[in-house]
Amino acid sequence: MQFRFTTAGESHGPALVTIIEGVPAGMPFDKAAIDHELWRRQQGYGRGGRMKIESDTVRILSGVRHGKALGSPIALMIENRDFVHWEDIMSAEELETQPKNPRLVKRPRPGHADLPGGQKYQARDLRDILERASARETAARVAAGAVAKQLLDHFGVTIRSHVAKLGAVPENPIVASWEQISAISADAPLACVDKEIEAEMVAHVDEAKANGDTLGGIFEVVAHGLPVGLGSHTSWEEKLDGRIARAMMSIHAVKAVEIGDGVANAGRFGSEVHDEIFSSNGNFERRTNRAGGLEGGITNGEELRVRGYLKPISTLRKALNSVDIDTKEDSPAAFERSDITAVPAAGVIGEAMLAIVIANSMREKFGGDSLSEMRRNFDSYVSTVRSY
Ligand code: EPS
């Protein structure tokens, strides 16, 4: 059994939808917890006007009865409140009369899917591309990820994130403990563990805003409480770090992924990198975790740490040069409204994607049609590993 999901929906269409498979029957289903994750994704200093319009919540369409999962596909829907302003432009039916302001997009934004998407799909209105390329889609991923988190909760696995760097601040990504990350308050402006650095980050966002510019940054996601043995060294597709990297890279604007201290480790001696193994009352012990919880593509029981590196958002008020796809003349790229930065939101999305990859790995390893069957398999495996 796999835990898997798909999403559908355009940014200014009627709704986003996700269908999730592989949730074991009998799992208590907490809608409020999903809505809370959606709320978290909408926070963060530097978000644009759209977040004032949307207030994302899910409607459960299938797969849940009397508060428990049935084991069947779960369909969740998130309405786009903004759709009321776009009904004719985003209409599924052919229009008899063109809207007064059709808001055609003809000037592709450098860095966005606009131009290669337009060329590939032969779109003469680049809205056909940008509506689906928009990071709005990640609301549906966060809903699916919130369900994965609920499953992981039953096995003692918790996932959180923090912003390690916002644009150029600070120079080196912040190193934060699980306790520090867990203590970040839900309304912190930039999900940073250090209040002074966070104030500098806020000023950096203000600077970008004043210049009509945008910023990227680095988020770190940490999974706490993982069992040893998720993923496998036996084949490339089974390596958990490979699966995690793919999931993280699929998040909008993520351009690099790092596990543990992977980037810094590339410039160090082996003796400075590998986490030595010590004996402690008949158990194995690590005193460092530079590997980020994975060795040979297998979880080793330490915290799993993954960083996502985001490029700056590609919709700039200070528009970059582009070319009109009809006239072929140089003209500034399209701008309607945009976020200045979305690194804290990307962290929440990173949590969701990591939760989904780990939930899938747990479903593959422990199987079971019901939560209690999965639990028995899990407990028996964990006690086998303990006696190793
Ligand atoms: C986005 C552009 C903005 C963002 C949007 C992603 O939307 P709009 O064009 O409606 O102002 O706010 O993000 C969301 C709507 C969201 O929910 O995260 C883009 O072009 O990627």
Side-chain angles (χ1 to χ4, degrees):
M1 175 54 83
Q2 287 194 316
F3 184 103
R4 52 184 193 166
F5 80 111
T6 190
T7 75
E10 276 71 45
S11 180
H12 302 98
L16 298 166
V17 178
T18 180
I19 296 181
I20 308 157
E21 289 179 288
V23 178
M27 187 187 93
F29 201 84
D30 185 349
K31 173 182 146 46
I34 302 175
D35 290 343
H36 180 66
E37 292 296 300
L38 292 174
W39 174 84
R40 288 182 63 224
R41 193 198 70 93
Q42 293 195 277
Q43 304 313 300
Y45 192 75
R47 300 304 300 275
R50 178 78 183 271
M51 289 304 102
K52 294 195 180 73
I53 299 171
E54 305 298 343
S55 139
D56 295 334
T57 54
V58 288
R59 186 168 159 212
I60 303 167
L61 301 180
S62 74
V64 182
R65 184 162 180 253
H66 302 159
K68 290 205 170 110
L70 293 169
S72 52
I74 294 174
L76 303 176
M77 183 176 88
I78 304 164
E79 253 181 76
N80 288 326
R81 295 200 178 184
D82 205 14
F83 179 59
V84 293
H85 306 119
W86 297 82
E87 278 187 44
D88 49 358
I89 293 171
M90 292 305 294
S91 162
E93 281 83 44
E94 211 167 340
L95 295 175
E96 289 181 0
T97 51
Q98 281 303 306
K100 264 203 202 95
N101 176 6
R103 297 171 92 150
L104 301 176
V105 181
K106 297 288 186 183
R107 292 166 292 132
R109 291 160 293 174
H112 216 278
D114 299 348
L115 182 58
Q119 290 173 306
K120 176 177 164 69
Y121 290 92
Q122 292 291 298
R124 296 314 309 176
D125 176 3
L126 297 175
R127 181 165 303 288
D128 289 354
I129 306 302
L130 72 87
E131 283 291 333
R132 181 65 184 159
S134 163
R136 174 97 190 119
E137 184 261 349
T138 60
R141 299 196 199 194
V142 168
V147 176
K149 279 185 171 186
Q150 287 179 31
L151 176 62
L152 296 180
D153 227 28
H154 291 280
F155 301 92
V157 179
T158 318
I159 299 179
R160 293 305 300 250
S161 66
H162 71 109
V163 172
K165 183 162 175 157
L166 198 297
V169 178
E171 194 180 333
N172 296 311
I174 296 172
V175 176
S177 68
W178 173 252
E179 288 68 30
Q180 285 176 303
I181 299 168
S182 310
I184 297 173
S185 70
D187 57 1
L190 287 168
C192 180
V193 296
D194 184 313
K195 288 285 147 211
E196 276 175 34
I197 297 175
E198 192 168 50
E200 285 174 46
M201 289 174 171
V202 165
H204 197 36
V205 174
D206 288 340
E207 179 193 347
K209 186 174 184 179
N211 295 330
D213 221 321
T214 57
L215 286 169
I218 305 174
F219 65 80
E220 183 174 50
V221 185
V222 183
H224 189 81
L226 286 171
V228 170
L230 299 179
S232 170
H233 64 290
T234 55
S235 115
W236 72 270
E237 286 173 301
E238 303 296 323
K239 286 179 178 264
L240 197 65
D241 37 12
R243 290 185 177 189
I244 292 168
R246 178 188 176 186
M248 291 293 159
M249 280 297 261
S250 78
I251 299 171
H252 304 67
V254 170
K255 291 291 119 193
V257 177
E258 175 182 20
I259 306 241
D261 293 346
V263 171
N265 285 349
R268 292 175 176 153
F269 289 110
S271 56
E272 299 168 321
V273 169
H274 301 297
D275 305 303
E276 288 185 280
I277 305 165
F278 297 95
S279 174
S280 161
N281 304 322
N283 290 318
F284 304 99
E285 186 190 271
R286 309 287 180 134
R287 296 176 188 163
T288 53
N289 182 23
R290 300 180 200 104
L294 284 160
E295 289 171 308
I298 308 173
T299 56
N300 63 6
E302 299 297 308
E303 281 169 1
L304 199 159
R305 287 187 173 251
V306 52
R307 289 182 182 147
Y309 289 63
L310 291 147
K311 68 178 178 182
I313 285 171
S314 47
T315 311
L316 277 72
R317 190 159 50 75
K318 181 180 71 184
L320 298 173
N321 197 67
S322 184
V323 172
D324 186 300
I325 58 168
D326 289 347
T327 66
K328 301 283 169 8
E329 277 170 14
D330 277 13
S331 44
F335 177 81
E336 272 164 23
R337 65 181 168 201
S338 178
D339 304 327
I340 311 297
T341 191
V343 187
V348 176
I349 301 155
E351 291 176 31
M353 293 309 289
L354 185 62
I356 288 162
V357 172
I358 294 174
N360 182 41
S361 189
M362 302 263 285
R363 293 296 286 138
E364 283 179 347
K365 182 151 177 58
F366 304 115
D369 297 306
S370 66
L371 184 61
S372 54
E373 187 182 2
M374 186 179 173
R375 170 98 246 161
R376 281 198 299 280
N377 298 342
F378 177 84
D379 288 344
S380 135
Y381 168 77
V382 167
S383 70
T384 310
V385 170
R386 238 183 239 131
S387 61
Y388 176 81

